[in-house]
PDB file of all heavy atoms in Angstrom:
ATOM      1  N   ARG A  81      20.398   6.397  -2.727  1.00 78.00           N
ATOM      2  CA  ARG A  81      21.882   6.306  -2.534  1.00 78.00           C
ATOM      3  C   ARG A  81      22.273   4.874  -2.274  1.00 78.00           C
ATOM      4  O   ARG A  81      23.348   4.449  -2.747  1.00 78.00           O
ATOM      5  CB  ARG A  81      22.282   7.236  -1.374  1.00 78.00           C
ATOM      6  CG  ARG A  81      21.997   8.697  -1.634  1.00 78.00           C
ATOM      7  CD  ARG A  81      22.406   9.541  -0.481  1.00 78.00           C
ATOM      8  NE  ARG A  81      22.064  10.951  -0.647  1.00 78.00           N
ATOM      9  CZ  ARG A  81      22.267  11.885   0.236  1.00 78.00           C
ATOM     10  NH1 ARG A  81      22.880  11.627   1.410  1.00 78.00           N
ATOM     11  NH2 ARG A  81      21.958  13.169  -0.023  1.00 78.00           N
ATOM     12  N   LEU A  82      21.519   4.201  -1.477  1.00 85.00           N
ATOM     13  CA  LEU A  82      21.815   2.743  -1.191  1.00 85.00           C
ATOM     14  C   LEU A  82      21.808   1.951  -2.471  1.00 85.00           C
ATOM     15  O   LEU A  82      22.643   1.096  -2.688  1.00 85.00           O
ATOM     16  CB  LEU A  82      20.835   2.201  -0.167  1.00 85.00           C
ATOM     17  CG  LEU A  82      20.867   2.760   1.286  1.00 85.00           C
ATOM     18  CD1 LEU A  82      19.777   2.167   2.101  1.00 85.00           C
ATOM     19  CD2 LEU A  82      22.273   2.461   1.901  1.00 85.00           C
ATOM     20  N   ILE A  83      20.769   2.201  -3.315  1.00 81.00           N
ATOM     21  CA  ILE A  83      20.651   1.458  -4.560  1.00 81.00           C
ATOM     22  C   ILE A  83      21.819   1.747  -5.466  1.00 81.00           C
ATOM     23  O   ILE A  83      22.389   0.843  -6.124  1.00 81.00           O
ATOM     24  CB  ILE A  83      19.319   1.789  -5.242  1.00 81.00           C
ATOM     25  CG1 ILE A  83      18.139   1.145  -4.402  1.00 81.00           C
ATOM     26  CG2 ILE A  83      19.254   1.266  -6.664  1.00 81.00           C
ATOM     27  CD1 ILE A  83      16.801   1.612  -4.923  1.00 81.00           C
ATOM     28  N   VAL A  84      22.211   3.021  -5.560  1.00 78.00           N
ATOM     29  CA  VAL A  84      23.365   3.389  -6.434  1.00 78.00           C
ATOM     30  C   VAL A  84      24.652   2.737  -5.922  1.00 78.00           C
ATOM     31  O   VAL A  84      25.438   2.267  -6.717  1.00 78.00           O
ATOM     32  CB  VAL A  84      23.528   4.899  -6.474  1.00 78.00           C
ATOM     33  CG1 VAL A  84      24.791   5.340  -7.151  1.00 78.00           C
ATOM     34  CG2 VAL A  84      22.301   5.555  -7.194  1.00 78.00           C
ATOM     35  N   ARG A  85      24.799   2.688  -4.623  1.00 85.00           N
ATOM     36  CA  ARG A  85      26.065   2.114  -4.063  1.00 85.00           C
ATOM     37  C   ARG A  85      26.107   0.596  -4.080  1.00 85.00           C
ATOM     38  O   ARG A  85      27.129  -0.038  -4.416  1.00 85.00           O
ATOM     39  CB  ARG A  85      26.265   2.653  -2.667  1.00 85.00           C
ATOM     40  CG  ARG A  85      27.548   2.143  -2.021  1.00 85.00           C
ATOM     41  CD  ARG A  85      27.820   2.815  -0.719  1.00 85.00           C
ATOM     42  NE  ARG A  85      29.078   2.376  -0.111  1.00 85.00           N
ATOM     43  CZ  ARG A  85      29.579   2.793   1.047  1.00 85.00           C
ATOM     44  NH1 ARG A  85      28.956   3.776   1.680  1.00 85.00           N
ATOM     45  NH2 ARG A  85      30.687   2.303   1.526  1.00 85.00           N
ATOM     46  N   PHE A  86      24.989  -0.029  -3.700  1.00 88.00           N
ATOM     47  CA  PHE A  86      24.990  -1.486  -3.471  1.00 88.00           C
ATOM     48  C   PHE A  86      24.242  -2.253  -4.560  1.00 88.00           C
ATOM     49  O   PHE A  86      24.242  -3.479  -4.540  1.00 88.00           O
ATOM     50  CB  PHE A  86      24.413  -1.831  -2.118  1.00 88.00           C
ATOM     51  CG  PHE A  86      25.175  -1.255  -0.981  1.00 88.00           C
ATOM     52  CD1 PHE A  86      24.664  -0.177  -0.265  1.00 88.00           C
ATOM     53  CD2 PHE A  86      26.421  -1.759  -0.617  1.00 88.00           C
ATOM     54  CE1 PHE A  86      25.388   0.360   0.776  1.00 88.00           C
ATOM     55  CE2 PHE A  86      27.110  -1.199   0.447  1.00 88.00           C
ATOM     56  CZ  PHE A  86      26.590  -0.136   1.149  1.00 88.00           C
ATOM     57  N   THR A  87      23.521  -1.591  -5.494  1.00 85.00           N
ATOM     58  CA  THR A  87      22.645  -2.155  -6.529  1.00 85.00           C
ATOM     59  C   THR A  87      21.270  -2.458  -5.916  1.00 85.00           C
ATOM     60  O   THR A  87      21.114  -2.798  -4.752  1.00 85.00           O
ATOM     61  CB  THR A  87      23.199  -3.416  -7.181  1.00 85.00           C
ATOM     62  OG1 THR A  87      23.025  -4.569  -6.350  1.00 85.00           O
ATOM     63  CG2 THR A  87      24.645  -3.255  -7.589  1.00 85.00           C
ATOM     64  N   SER A  88      20.255  -2.357  -6.777  1.00 85.00           N
ATOM     65  CA  SER A  88      18.899  -2.585  -6.334  1.00 85.00           C
ATOM     66  C   SER A  88      18.674  -4.022  -5.929  1.00 85.00           C
ATOM     67  O   SER A  88      17.843  -4.327  -5.043  1.00 85.00           O
ATOM     68  CB  SER A  88      17.902  -2.202  -7.453  1.00 85.00           C
ATOM     69  OG  SER A  88      18.169  -2.932  -8.634  1.00 85.00           O
ATOM     70  N   ARG A  89      19.357  -5.001  -6.547  1.00 91.00           N
ATOM     71  CA  ARG A  89      19.205  -6.411  -6.175  1.00 91.00           C
ATOM     72  C   ARG A  89      19.651  -6.657  -4.736  1.00 91.00           C
ATOM     73  O   ARG A  89      18.931  -7.333  -3.990  1.00 91.00           O
ATOM     74  CB  ARG A  89      19.933  -7.324  -7.142  1.00 91.00           C
ATOM     75  CG  ARG A  89      19.808  -8.793  -6.815  1.00 91.00           C
ATOM     76  CD  ARG A  89      20.086  -9.700  -7.907  1.00 91.00           C
ATOM     77  NE  ARG A  89      21.463  -9.737  -8.325  1.00 91.00           N
ATOM     78  CZ  ARG A  89      21.930 -10.514  -9.306  1.00 91.00           C
ATOM     79  NH1 ARG A  89      21.099 -11.342  -9.983  1.00 91.00           N
ATOM     80  NH2 ARG A  89      23.236 -10.486  -9.633  1.00 91.00           N
ATOM     81  N   ARG A  90      20.759  -6.100  -4.341  1.00 92.00           N
ATOM     82  CA  ARG A  90      21.244  -6.326  -2.982  1.00 92.00           C
ATOM     83  C   ARG A  90      20.360  -5.630  -1.957  1.00 92.00           C
ATOM     84  O   ARG A  90      20.092  -6.169  -0.890  1.00 92.00           O
ATOM     85  CB  ARG A  90      22.698  -5.844  -2.856  1.00 92.00           C
ATOM     86  CG  ARG A  90      23.687  -6.700  -3.602  1.00 92.00           C
ATOM     87  CD  ARG A  90      25.084  -6.127  -3.545  1.00 92.00           C
ATOM     88  NE  ARG A  90      26.057  -6.902  -4.319  1.00 92.00           N
ATOM     89  CZ  ARG A  90      27.283  -6.521  -4.582  1.00 92.00           C
ATOM     90  NH1 ARG A  90      27.718  -5.359  -4.170  1.00 92.00           N
ATOM     91  NH2 ARG A  90      28.095  -7.259  -5.300  1.00 92.00           N
ATOM     92  N   VAL A  91      19.957  -4.383  -2.261  1.00 91.00           N
ATOM     93  CA  VAL A  91      19.057  -3.678  -1.368  1.00 91.00           C
ATOM     94  C   VAL A  91      17.751  -4.462  -1.233  1.00 91.00           C
ATOM     95  O   VAL A  91      17.196  -4.551  -0.094  1.00 91.00           O
ATOM     96  CB  VAL A  91      18.855  -2.244  -1.862  1.00 91.00           C
ATOM     97  CG1 VAL A  91      17.765  -1.554  -1.011  1.00 91.00           C
ATOM     98  CG2 VAL A  91      20.126  -1.441  -1.848  1.00 91.00           C
ATOM     99  N   LEU A  92      17.273  -4.971  -2.331  1.00 93.00           N
ATOM    100  CA  LEU A  92      15.988  -5.728  -2.305  1.00 93.00           C
ATOM    101  C   LEU A  92      16.141  -6.968  -1.446  1.00 93.00           C
ATOM    102  O   LEU A  92      15.241  -7.304  -0.654  1.00 93.00           O
ATOM    103  CB  LEU A  92      15.581  -6.084  -3.682  1.00 93.00           C
ATOM    104  CG  LEU A  92      14.288  -6.884  -3.856  1.00 93.00           C
ATOM    105  CD1 LEU A  92      13.121  -6.151  -3.260  1.00 93.00           C
ATOM    106  CD2 LEU A  92      14.058  -7.194  -5.348  1.00 93.00           C
ATOM    107  N   LEU A  93      17.229  -7.679  -1.599  1.00 95.00           N
ATOM    108  CA  LEU A  93      17.463  -8.897  -0.774  1.00 95.00           C
ATOM    109  C   LEU A  93      17.481  -8.584   0.666  1.00 95.00           C
ATOM    110  O   LEU A  93      16.780  -9.225   1.508  1.00 95.00           O
ATOM    111  CB  LEU A  93      18.800  -9.544  -1.229  1.00 95.00           C
ATOM    112  CG  LEU A  93      19.371 -10.647  -0.293  1.00 95.00           C
ATOM    113  CD1 LEU A  93      18.386 -11.823  -0.232  1.00 95.00           C
ATOM    114  CD2 LEU A  93      20.738 -11.102  -0.774  1.00 95.00           C
ATOM    115  N   VAL A  94      18.253  -7.588   1.097  1.00 95.00           N
ATOM    116  CA  VAL A  94      18.406  -7.294   2.514  1.00 95.00           C
ATOM    117  C   VAL A  94      17.128  -6.777   3.087  1.00 95.00           C
ATOM    118  O   VAL A  94      16.666  -7.190   4.181  1.00 95.00           O
ATOM    119  CB  VAL A  94      19.545  -6.255   2.730  1.00 95.00           C
ATOM    120  CG1 VAL A  94      19.577  -5.823   4.198  1.00 95.00           C
ATOM    121  CG2 VAL A  94      20.888  -6.894   2.335  1.00 95.00           C
ATOM    122  N   THR A  95      16.457  -5.825   2.442  1.00 95.00           N
ATOM    123  CA  THR A  95      15.271  -5.215   2.997  1.00 95.00           C
ATOM    124  C   THR A  95      14.077  -6.166   3.015  1.00 95.00           C
ATOM    125  O   THR A  95      13.249  -6.067   3.928  1.00 95.00           O
ATOM    126  CB  THR A  95      14.934  -3.917   2.249  1.00 95.00           C
ATOM    127  OG1 THR A  95      14.744  -4.200   0.833  1.00 95.00           O
ATOM    128  CG2 THR A  95      16.000  -2.871   2.405  1.00 95.00           C
ATOM    129  N   SER A  96      13.950  -7.010   2.029  1.00 95.00           N
ATOM    130  CA  SER A  96      12.832  -7.934   2.020  1.00 95.00           C
ATOM    131  C   SER A  96      12.915  -8.927   3.161  1.00 95.00           C
ATOM    132  O   SER A  96      11.933  -9.220   3.825  1.00 95.00           O
ATOM    133  CB  SER A  96      12.749  -8.640   0.690  1.00 95.00           C
ATOM    134  OG  SER A  96      13.879  -9.409   0.408  1.00 95.00           O
ATOM    135  N   VAL A  97      14.113  -9.444   3.391  1.00 96.00           N
ATOM    136  CA  VAL A  97      14.330 -10.393   4.466  1.00 96.00           C
ATOM    137  C   VAL A  97      14.125  -9.708   5.815  1.00 96.00           C
ATOM    138  O   VAL A  97      13.463 -10.228   6.724  1.00 96.00           O
ATOM    139  CB  VAL A  97      15.721 -11.037   4.424  1.00 96.00           C
ATOM    140  CG1 VAL A  97      16.018 -11.893   5.632  1.00 96.00           C
ATOM    141  CG2 VAL A  97      15.828 -11.885   3.161  1.00 96.00           C
ATOM    142  N   LEU A  98      14.640  -8.494   5.991  1.00 96.00           N
ATOM    143  CA  LEU A  98      14.455  -7.729   7.204  1.00 96.00           C
ATOM    144  C   LEU A  98      12.997  -7.436   7.440  1.00 96.00           C
ATOM    145  O   LEU A  98      12.507  -7.504   8.588  1.00 96.00           O
ATOM    146  CB  LEU A  98      15.227  -6.420   7.130  1.00 96.00           C
ATOM    147  CG  LEU A  98      16.676  -6.415   7.671  1.00 96.00           C
ATOM    148  CD1 LEU A  98      17.287  -5.050   7.500  1.00 96.00           C
ATOM    149  CD2 LEU A  98      16.695  -6.844   9.127  1.00 96.00           C
ATOM    150  N   ALA A  99      12.263  -7.025   6.401  1.00 95.00           N
ATOM    151  CA  ALA A  99      10.807  -6.693   6.549  1.00 95.00           C
ATOM    152  C   ALA A  99      10.069  -7.861   7.115  1.00 95.00           C
ATOM    153  O   ALA A  99       9.115  -7.710   7.934  1.00 95.00           O
ATOM    154  CB  ALA A  99      10.276  -6.274   5.218  1.00 95.00           C
ATOM    155  N   ALA A 100      10.461  -9.053   6.697  1.00 96.00           N
ATOM    156  CA  ALA A 100       9.779 -10.253   7.192  1.00 96.00           C
ATOM    157  C   ALA A 100      10.184 -10.595   8.642  1.00 96.00           C
ATOM    158  O   ALA A 100       9.300 -10.836   9.524  1.00 96.00           O
ATOM    159  CB  ALA A 100      10.055 -11.436   6.275  1.00 96.00           C
ATOM    160  N   LEU A 101      11.512 -10.551   8.900  1.00 96.00           N
ATOM    161  CA  LEU A 101      11.971 -10.964  10.227  1.00 96.00           C
ATOM    162  C   LEU A 101      11.611  -9.987  11.316  1.00 96.00           C
ATOM    163  O   LEU A 101      11.434 -10.425  12.450  1.00 96.00           O
ATOM    164  CB  LEU A 101      13.474 -11.137  10.143  1.00 96.00           C
ATOM    165  CG  LEU A 101      13.994 -12.296   9.228  1.00 96.00           C
ATOM    166  CD1 LEU A 101      15.512 -12.399   9.324  1.00 96.00           C
ATOM    167  CD2 LEU A 101      13.379 -13.600   9.604  1.00 96.00           C
ATOM    168  N   LEU A 102      11.444  -8.722  11.008  1.00 96.00           N
ATOM    169  CA  LEU A 102      11.077  -7.778  12.050  1.00 96.00           C
ATOM    170  C   LEU A 102       9.689  -8.072  12.607  1.00 96.00           C
ATOM    171  O   LEU A 102       9.405  -7.776  13.754  1.00 96.00           O
ATOM    172  CB  LEU A 102      11.147  -6.345  11.481  1.00 96.00           C
ATOM    173  CG  LEU A 102      12.537  -5.755  11.239  1.00 96.00           C
ATOM    174  CD1 LEU A 102      12.449  -4.415  10.536  1.00 96.00           C
ATOM    175  CD2 LEU A 102      13.284  -5.651  12.582  1.00 96.00           C
ATOM    176  N   ILE A 103       8.825  -8.634  11.798  1.00 96.00           N
ATOM    177  CA  ILE A 103       7.490  -9.020  12.269  1.00 96.00           C
ATOM    178  C   ILE A 103       7.577 -10.066  13.398  1.00 96.00           C
ATOM    179  O   ILE A 103       6.744 -10.072  14.271  1.00 96.00           O
ATOM    180  CB  ILE A 103       6.598  -9.506  11.085  1.00 96.00           C
ATOM    181  CG1 ILE A 103       6.367  -8.368  10.130  1.00 96.00           C
ATOM    182  CG2 ILE A 103       5.292 -10.074  11.602  1.00 96.00           C
ATOM    183  CD1 ILE A 103       5.597  -8.822   8.904  1.00 96.00           C
ATOM    184  N   CYS A 104       8.587 -10.903  13.291  1.00 95.00           N
ATOM    185  CA  CYS A 104       8.742 -11.952  14.302  1.00 95.00           C
ATOM    186  C   CYS A 104       8.975 -11.367  15.708  1.00 95.00           C
ATOM    187  O   CYS A 104       8.756 -12.053  16.714  1.00 95.00           O
ATOM    188  CB  CYS A 104       9.952 -12.841  13.956  1.00 95.00           C
ATOM    189  SG  CYS A 104       9.837 -13.706  12.396  1.00 95.00           S
ATOM    190  N   LEU A 105       9.401 -10.077  15.779  1.00 96.00           N
ATOM    191  CA  LEU A 105       9.665  -9.487  17.102  1.00 96.00           C
ATOM    192  C   LEU A 105       8.384  -8.930  17.748  1.00 96.00           C
ATOM    193  O   LEU A 105       8.388  -8.683  18.977  1.00 96.00           O
ATOM    194  CB  LEU A 105      10.669  -8.325  16.935  1.00 96.00           C
ATOM    195  CG  LEU A 105      12.072  -8.713  16.364  1.00 96.00           C
ATOM    196  CD1 LEU A 105      12.894  -7.429  16.205  1.00 96.00           C
ATOM    197  CD2 LEU A 105      12.754  -9.703  17.235  1.00 96.00           C
ATOM    198  N   LEU A 106       7.352  -8.646  16.956  1.00 95.00           N
ATOM    199  CA  LEU A 106       6.137  -8.018  17.486  1.00 95.00           C
ATOM    200  C   LEU A 106       5.499  -8.714  18.714  1.00 95.00           C
ATOM    201  O   LEU A 106       5.107  -7.999  19.661  1.00 95.00           O
ATOM    202  CB  LEU A 106       5.116  -7.876  16.376  1.00 95.00           C
ATOM    203  CG  LEU A 106       5.477  -6.912  15.234  1.00 95.00           C
ATOM    204  CD1 LEU A 106       4.367  -6.925  14.173  1.00 95.00           C
ATOM    205  CD2 LEU A 106       5.643  -5.493  15.785  1.00 95.00           C
ATOM    206  N   PRO A 107       5.393 -10.035  18.723  1.00 95.00           N
ATOM    207  CA  PRO A 107       4.714 -10.656  19.878  1.00 95.00           C
ATOM    208  C   PRO A 107       5.439 -10.509  21.194  1.00 95.00           C
ATOM    209  O   PRO A 107       4.837 -10.730  22.249  1.00 95.00           O
ATOM    210  CB  PRO A 107       4.650 -12.163  19.484  1.00 95.00           C
ATOM    211  CG  PRO A 107       4.807 -12.187  18.003  1.00 95.00           C
ATOM    212  CD  PRO A 107       5.745 -10.997  17.686  1.00 95.00           C
ATOM    213  N   TRP A 108       6.724 -10.122  21.212  1.00 95.00           N
ATOM    214  CA  TRP A 108       7.470 -10.047  22.419  1.00 95.00           C
ATOM    215  C   TRP A 108       7.562  -8.670  23.013  1.00 95.00           C
ATOM    216  O   TRP A 108       8.199  -8.440  24.045  1.00 95.00           O
ATOM    217  CB  TRP A 108       8.910 -10.594  22.131  1.00 95.00           C
ATOM    218  CG  TRP A 108       8.878 -11.903  21.420  1.00 95.00           C
ATOM    219  CD1 TRP A 108       9.153 -12.098  20.096  1.00 95.00           C
ATOM    220  CD2 TRP A 108       8.474 -13.193  21.952  1.00 95.00           C
ATOM    221  NE1 TRP A 108       8.995 -13.409  19.767  1.00 95.00           N
ATOM    222  CE2 TRP A 108       8.607 -14.119  20.886  1.00 95.00           C
ATOM    223  CE3 TRP A 108       8.106 -13.614  23.173  1.00 95.00           C
ATOM    224  CZ2 TRP A 108       8.274 -15.420  21.013  1.00 95.00           C
ATOM    225  CZ3 TRP A 108       7.771 -14.961  23.307  1.00 95.00           C
ATOM    226  CH2 TRP A 108       7.885 -15.842  22.262  1.00 95.00           C
TER     227      TRP A 108
END
Side-chain angles (χ1 to χ4, degrees):
R81 297 178 183 179
L82 293 175
I83 290 173
V84 170
R85 181 172 181 179
F86 298 107
T87 77
S88 58
R89 178 159 70 177
R90 290 175 183 170
V91 173
L92 179 58
L93 168 61
V94 172
T95 56
S96 61
V97 172
L98 269 178
L101 295 182
L102 287 174
I103 294 177
C104 300
L105 301 178
L106 291 176
W108 311 105

